[in-house]
Amino acid sequence: MAAVATKVNDFFILGPTMAPGNGVAEAIASLYYLPKRYKLVLPAAGADAGFLEEMHRLVRRMALTARVRFGDIDVPEADAIVVGEATPTDLRDE
């Protein structure tokens, strides 16, 4: 897949690990509603081949191939957000 940084203001989201039940499909679907400068990186090392292919089909079906990358990405300058186990209340300043 050829999702690469095209501008410094691209915004990369590091998604969940590639496993059923980890919210991967939801992360892909959510990307559809974000501005085009948002890109999604999904760590694919060790992923089940069948699940990985299912997610590739979802990305193609949603026409997000230019915005989703499966695997590591090396971007010297980019904004980024890491999606993990945090909930919105975990992220607020206290």
Side-chain angles (χ1 to χ4, degrees):
M1 224 165 273
V4 295
T6 55
K7 300 177 228 157
V8 173
N9 66 353
D10 280 346
F11 197 94
F12 288 84
I13 302 167
L14 178 58
T17 56
M18 294 291 293
N22 275 2
V24 178
E26 292 83 356
I28 293 168
S30 297
L31 183 67
Y32 179 84
Y33 298 99
L34 293 173
K36 293 193 186 306
R37 71 183 190 99
Y38 285 79
K39 316 289 185 204
L40 179 62
V41 179
L42 296 167
D48 174 70
F51 182 73
L52 185 58
E53 179 54 34
E54 184 181 335
M55 293 302 103
H56 276 279
R57 284 193 305 269
L58 177 61
V59 167
R60 287 191 300 269
R61 191 169 54 247
M62 296 189 77
L64 294 172
T65 54
R67 298 175 58 200
V68 177
R69 169 136 182 158
F70 294 91
D72 297 329
I73 189 165
D74 181 23
V75 180
E77 293 183 38
D79 295 322
I81 186 168
V82 177
V83 178
E85 296 296 318
T87 62
T89 55
D90 295 333
L91 300 175
R92 69 172 182 240
D93 292 332
E94 294 188 25

